[in-house]
Amino acid sequence: MPYVAKGMQVGLFGGSFNPPHAGHALVAEIALRRLALDQLWWIVTPGNPLKSTRELAPLSQRLRLPPAVAANPRIKLTAFEASYHVRYTADTLALIKARNPGVDFVWIMGADNLRDFHRWQRWREITMTMPIAVIDRPGATLSFLSSIMAKTFDYARVDEADAPRLARMKPPAWTFIHGPRSLLSSTAIRNGELSAD
């Protein structure tokens, strides 16, 4: 795991990143700025339990970040889940919190993931473990109103204007952050429909 000091606000941005692209970089940039983060961990997972591994590129290939991301010293690339043999986000978050007392973490995900968040193993536990920032993605803007997670935890939604304080809030707490959106998707890039840049 990357080094962090007590009192820091750290964003956790996990995914398959198959492949990583400029859309992911935009989510990371928005999260760093709008959540007032000291660091953002770009966590490349060994594999998503909800997705087929047939098209999954080797971990070493998915660790090649877009140049703008690699150049940002506040973004820390990590694939520690493979070392700890962790498959599920709930276990990842528990491990991170146990190993980094005194650090304020926030889970970051694109709005396209919010739609199916209730299919994640122990999704309610995830929401009760750590604040969540949902970053707008094309075609997913209304997910924050219609998703099962958004409806279930509607009472815990934090105004977007309070996003800089989200990492220090007691969960459940989540916000939806609007901003510039990229049309890039890993699926479209794998299918040859788009370039990663």
Side-chain angles (χ1 to χ4, degrees), residues 115-185:
R115 190 171 30 236
D116 294 320
F117 187 64
H118 65 281
R119 294 179 58 217
W120 293 24
Q121 187 179 77
R122 303 183 349 247
W123 66 276
R124 285 183 176 87
E125 181 181 326
I126 294 168
T127 309
M128 299 300 291
T129 299
M130 192 173 288
I132 298 172
V134 181
I135 312 294
D136 202 1
R137 291 277 292 138
T141 303
L142 297 179
S143 294
F144 80 100
L145 294 174
S146 60
S147 75
I148 291 174
M149 181 277 200
K151 289 177 180 177
T152 303
F153 288 96
D154 180 61
Y155 70 93
R157 184 170 171 223
V158 174
D159 190 277
E160 187 174 350
D162 293 323
R165 299 186 308 108
L166 184 66
R168 302 211 193 280
M169 292 181 183
K170 183 179 178 186
W174 69 280
T175 194
F176 191 96
I177 297 178
H178 297 84
R181 296 174 295 173
S182 168
L183 293 172
L184 290 175
S185 83

Side-chain angles (χ1 to χ4, degrees), residues 16-108:
S16 302
F17 302 111
N18 186 37
H21 56 69
H24 295 133
L26 181 60
V27 168
E29 177 187 313
I30 290 169
L32 274 167
R33 188 175 64 250
R34 298 288 299 279
L35 297 168
L37 300 175
D38 297 300
Q39 276 187 20
L40 180 139
W41 293 5
W42 186 298
I43 305 170
V44 183
T45 66
N48 183 333
L50 293 176
K51 294 180 181 176
S52 168
T53 57
R54 281 196 321 264
E55 296 181 345
L56 189 64
L59 189 60
S60 59
Q61 285 181 24
R62 294 182 287 122
L63 285 168
R64 295 185 189 135
L65 290 180
V69 172
N72 189 329
R74 291 193 298 155
I75 296 177
K76 309 298 182 185
L77 178 66
T78 181
F80 70 86
E81 288 174 314
S83 302
Y84 287 93
H85 307 288
V86 178
R87 286 194 66 202
Y88 297 104
T89 300
D91 297 324
T92 298
L93 301 189
L95 176 66
I96 289 170
K97 285 188 75 169
R99 293 183 58 91
N100 298 281
V103 178
D104 295 307
F105 290 101
V106 58
W107 178 254
I108 297 160

